Amino acid sequence: MGYELINANTFEELSSWPETTDPQAGWQDGGGVHAIVTDPPYGVIEFMEENVEKMRQGSGGVWRIPPSLDGSQRNPVPRFTVLTEEDKQMLQDYFEKLGELAYKVLRPGGHIFIASTQLLMHYVSKGFDEAGLERRDVLVRETKTLRGGDRPKGAHDHPEYSMVSSMPRVYWEPWLLYRKPFDTKLVENLETWQTGGLRRESEDRPFTDLLEDGKTGKREREITAAANPESEDSHPNVKPQSLMRELCHAALPLKQGVILDPFMGSGSTVAAAEAIGYDSVGIELDDSYYEMAKQSIPRFAEISTPIEQREDIRKTKAAEESTSLSDFS
Ligand SMILES: C[S@@+](CC[C@H](N)C(=O)[O-])C[C@H]1O[C@@H](n2cnc3c(N)ncnc32)[C@H](O)[C@@H]1O
C-alpha cells in the first residue's frame, strides 16, 4: 500500500471510520490500524487559525520566537505557560476525545506513541486513562532546547538573583507510550492482531525508553521550507527522521501493519514509515501543511540515518525489493 494522505480534521475523519472488529479486514473496512505515532498540537490553542496566523507573522499569541543564535534563524516554539485553567480543562477533554477515537481505530494491543511536554503530559495521560487506554511508559527523547532556564523577569535590576532560574532548561522531550488493552495472552494477540508488543532493535537488544540525542536536522527543516513556496518558513514542529524511524520500527512488533499519524504536519512519521518499508496513513487539517507533506515525504524518506543500517530493517527492505522484482518475472 505505501502511504495514504488525508487532508481533513482528524476528529471528523476518525469518527467516520468503522469500529475495529475484524483482524482480516483492511484499515478502512474495520481492520483498524496497528499503531499510532504522533506529535499532536498542544494544542487546541497553538494551531487555532488565529494563532497560526500570528506565528506566520512572527508576532505574539502562544508562540515565542527564540533569539537567533550565530545568525541562524530559530523556529517559533509554543509558550505553554500562558494556558489558563479553562485551557487546561479543554486540553484534557481534547485528549480524552482523541483517546476514544484512538481506541476505536486501533487494533487490540496497538500502541500509541505520542509526543508531549513536561508541563502538559499529565493532561494527555488523564484524557487517555479516561478513554480506557493503558499507560505503558514515558520515553525520554534527549534533545537540547532553548526553553526554560531563564532568570526571573526583571532580574537584571537585581544582581542578588543572578544565580536563579525560574525553571530548568529543557533537555529532553517526553513521549507517552499507551496501548489499547486486550484480553488474551500476548502471544495469542500477536497471532490474531499482530499487535501487543514492541519490536526489538535486534535479537540482543530490546527497544529502550531512552531515545538518544534526537535533534531535528537542518536538512529536515530545509526540506519543509522548500515545500512552502508562500513564505519559505519550515514547519514549526518537524521531528527528525532518526527519531521517527526508531519509533515506527518499534511500533510494529511483527513488521506487519499500518501506522497512523493523525496530526501529520510536514509528514515526518509517514516518511519514516516509508523509509523502513512500513505502510502508513497521515491526516492533516491545514491545507498548506498538507501540501508541504506531499512534497516533503519523498525527500525526508531519502535521508540516510543509522537506523536503516540495522540488520532487521535491511531484511525488510531486501524482502520488499525481491517482491517488487518478482512482479516483473
Ligand atoms: C505538532 S504538529 C506535527 C508536526 C510533525 N510531527 C512534523 O514533523 O512535521 C501538529 C500538526 O497537527 C495539525 N493539526 C492540528 N489540529 C488538527 C486536527 N484537528 N486534525 C488534523 N490535523 C491537525 C497542525 O496543523 C500541525 O501541522
Side-chain angles (χ1 to χ4, degrees), residues 6-13 37-44 46-48 52 56 63 78 94 98 115 175 216 220 224 235-241 244 261-269 282-290 292-293 300:
I6 302 169
N7 187 191
N9 182 329
T10 267
F11 292 88
E12 286 163 18
E13 175 64 25
V37 178
T38 198
D39 168 25
Y42 276 95
V44 211
E46 89 217 55
F47 281 102
M48 272 178 171
V52 171
R56 286 184 175 141
W63 295 92
Y94 183 90
L98 180 66
W175 278 74
T216 300
E220 274 109 330
T224 65
H235 192 285
N237 310 103
V238 190
K239 296 287 178 198
Q241 281 299 293
M244 300 318 295
D261 184 350
F263 303 105
M264 168 174 73
S266 63
S268 57
T269 306
I283 307 174
E284 172 57 47
L285 174 66
D286 184 90
D287 297 346
S288 48
Y289 291 149
Y290 173 77
M292 180 188 267
F300 284 153

Side-chain angles (χ1 to χ4, degrees), residues 101 151 191 256 263:
L101 289 168
R151 294 198 174 80
E191 194 176 330
Q256 292 164 24
F263 303 105

Side-chain angles (χ1 to χ4, degrees), residues 1-3 252 255-257 270-280 301 308 311-329:
M1 160 189 141
Y3 57 86
L252 299 185
K255 302 206 273 190
Q256 292 164 24
V270 171
E274 175 72 4
I276 62 172
Y278 290 175
D279 294 337
S280 65
E308 64 279 2
E311 198 189 344
D312 192 44
I313 297 176
R314 279 196 283 137
K315 277 189 197 157
T316 323
K317 300 296 280 179
E320 240 184 17
E321 272 160 31
S322 71
T323 316
S324 63
L325 282 179
S326 68
D327 290 345
F328 297 98
S329 61

